[in-house]
Amino acid sequence: MKENQASGSISPFSVFRLIPGTVETGEFSSAVSMEKISFIILTWNSEKTIENCLRSIAHLCESQGTDYEIIVVDNGSTDQTPAIVDSLVREIRLDLICLDRNLGTTRTRNLAIRKSDGTVLCVMDSDAALLDVGLPDIVATLRQDPSIGILAPKLLFSNGEVQPSVRKFPSLFGKFSRVPAIVFKRRLPDTDLYEDFPFPYPTDVDYAISACWFFRRELLDSVGYLDERIFYSPEDVDYCIRTWRKGYRVVFDPRFTVLHHVQQITHKNFLGRIALSHLCGLVYYFMKHRYISSPRITGTQTTLRSSGSY
């Protein structure tokens, strides 16, 4: 099933259509209104996208009456990223942590998560921007269904095409068979994709890329923090498999939409530090989880599908 592709590129400020809250009135509604969302953003030479990212969060939170904080960790950018973020401190509720070098994705996100105090967290890429996202509805969904570990919105490319942002757990052969294709810039079929994606309703998935995750703070008590032995990737796959193994679900929810100016850093320079760290991360991931074709998830069954909308 495919969705119609929009023509042209998308601007986060030209397509805001705020979703009215659907939370029922009463004690639960009051509880949701008291929730605070902590947005965790990493930057590394992100001068082209970071301002839109931050303004989209602030705009949506303030227009929907959502308490929030933004914590930005800069990974030693050499462009104008720190100056851009710093210039927004007086306008937007955010903290900036500047590092003198690139420490990867896991240590830096953990640093920001530990500094945060929101009851709900959103891990989000600096090249993403919130579009159709009813934040009270996300909080309500997470609170009403404690079986959800990670809620992943639908991601759109700049041209309006839906990004294949959720996948089946990778196989050892599938991942490493792609290495020659990357080196010689050839396209191979992606065996991790769901054939019927994008799903029209909330659906359980094996894993979602960490361009935008929402989860309750309590998930950290059970699953823990990101594995800092992974520098760049596949930290998202690792965290999702750990989430499933603790009895929680990873859910793709197309009711919420996020713009993603995706950057395939690994493919740009296969012999670069980021690409090599990705390769090392894959070796570590398969050794850690001890599987070749598909992981064993005790007490749960992966690739299950939700029978309908929530």
Side-chain angles (χ1 to χ4, degrees), residues 209-235:
I209 65 171
S210 57
C212 188
W213 286 350
F214 288 89
F215 58 92
R216 299 177 301 275
R217 180 170 291 277
E218 303 93 271
L219 187 70
L220 298 169
D221 297 330
S222 179
V223 180
Y225 290 79
L226 295 166
D227 188 339
E228 296 186 3
R229 285 165 289 193
I230 300 174
F231 177 84
Y232 168 67
S233 183
E235 87 293 349

Side-chain angles (χ1 to χ4, degrees), residues 35-294:
E35 300 269 7
K36 179 178 182 179
I37 303 180
S38 295
F39 292 88
I40 308 301
I41 313 291
L42 300 187
T43 56
W44 184 59
N45 294 337
S46 308
E47 63 182 6
K48 294 181 180 180
T49 58
I50 186 58
E51 183 171 357
N52 277 348
C53 172
L54 298 177
R55 288 193 182 279
S56 75
I57 295 170
H59 175 87
L60 214 58
C61 288
E62 291 167 8
S63 64
Q64 296 182 2
T66 300
D67 190 14
Y68 76 100
E69 66 175 351
I70 306 173
I71 301 177
V72 178
V73 181
D74 184 73
N75 254 329
S77 293
T78 56
D79 63 2
Q80 294 300 308
T81 299
I84 293 171
V85 176
D86 190 58
S87 70
L88 297 173
V89 169
R90 293 183 180 180
E91 300 178 45
I92 297 174
R93 201 179 307 167
L94 66 85
D95 289 325
L96 172 62
I97 302 172
C98 289
L99 305 176
D100 59 3
R101 59 192 175 94
N102 191 340
L103 297 181
T105 59
T106 55
R107 289 176 61 185
T108 45
R109 279 177 172 161
N110 286 344
L111 174 66
I113 289 171
R114 290 188 174 98
K115 182 178 174 60
S116 70
D117 61 8
T119 54
V120 172
L121 291 94
C122 175
V123 170
M124 186 170 161
D125 281 357
S126 61
D127 58 1
L130 301 182
L131 295 179
D132 284 352
V133 180
L135 296 171
D137 293 337
I138 287 180
V139 173
T141 299
L142 290 171
R143 291 300 175 197
Q144 289 173 332
D145 189 347
S147 71
I148 298 177
I150 296 172
L151 187 151
K154 177 173 65 178
L155 303 183
L156 297 182
F157 291 124
S158 301
N159 65 358
E161 181 182 353
V162 179
Q163 180 180 359
S165 57
V166 298
R167 296 168 178 257
K168 305 170 189 175
F169 286 125
S171 68
L172 180 65
F173 174 77
K175 276 296 181 184
F176 286 96
S177 66
R178 297 184 63 82
V179 172
I182 295 173
V183 173
F184 297 106
K185 300 185 183 303
R186 295 180 180 176
R187 297 184 65 87
L188 287 179
D190 197 332
T191 57
D192 300 340
L193 295 177
Y194 290 106
E195 293 79 6
D196 51 345
F197 184 84
F199 311 121
Y201 47 75
T203 302
D204 288 3
V205 296
D206 283 3
Y207 81 93
I209 65 171
S210 57
C212 188
W213 286 350
F214 288 89
F215 58 92
R216 299 177 301 275
R217 180 170 291 277
E218 303 93 271
L219 187 70
L220 298 169
D221 297 330
S222 179
V223 180
Y225 290 79
L226 295 166
D227 188 339
E228 296 186 3
R229 285 165 289 193
I230 300 174
F231 177 84
Y232 168 67
S233 183
E235 87 293 349
D236 44 9
V237 189
D238 173 75
Y239 202 79
C240 286
I241 194 174
R242 289 161 54 197
T243 297
W244 275 107
R245 284 176 171 166
K246 288 296 183 179
Y248 296 98
R249 297 155 53 216
V250 179
V251 177
F252 168 80
D253 198 327
R255 297 176 299 173
F256 312 113
T257 306
V258 172
L259 175 65
H260 191 208
H261 301 282
V262 65
Q263 303 179 67
Q264 291 186 304
I265 300 174
T266 303
H267 291 194
K268 289 181 180 179
N269 182 4
F270 180 75
L271 296 179
R273 182 191 177 198
I274 299 297
L276 292 176
S277 68
H278 184 192
L279 184 60
C280 291
L282 285 172
V283 173
Y284 169 76
Y285 167 83
F286 283 107
M287 292 180 65
K288 174 182 178 179
H289 294 292
R290 299 176 179 274
Y291 78 90
I292 295 176
S293 58
S294 61

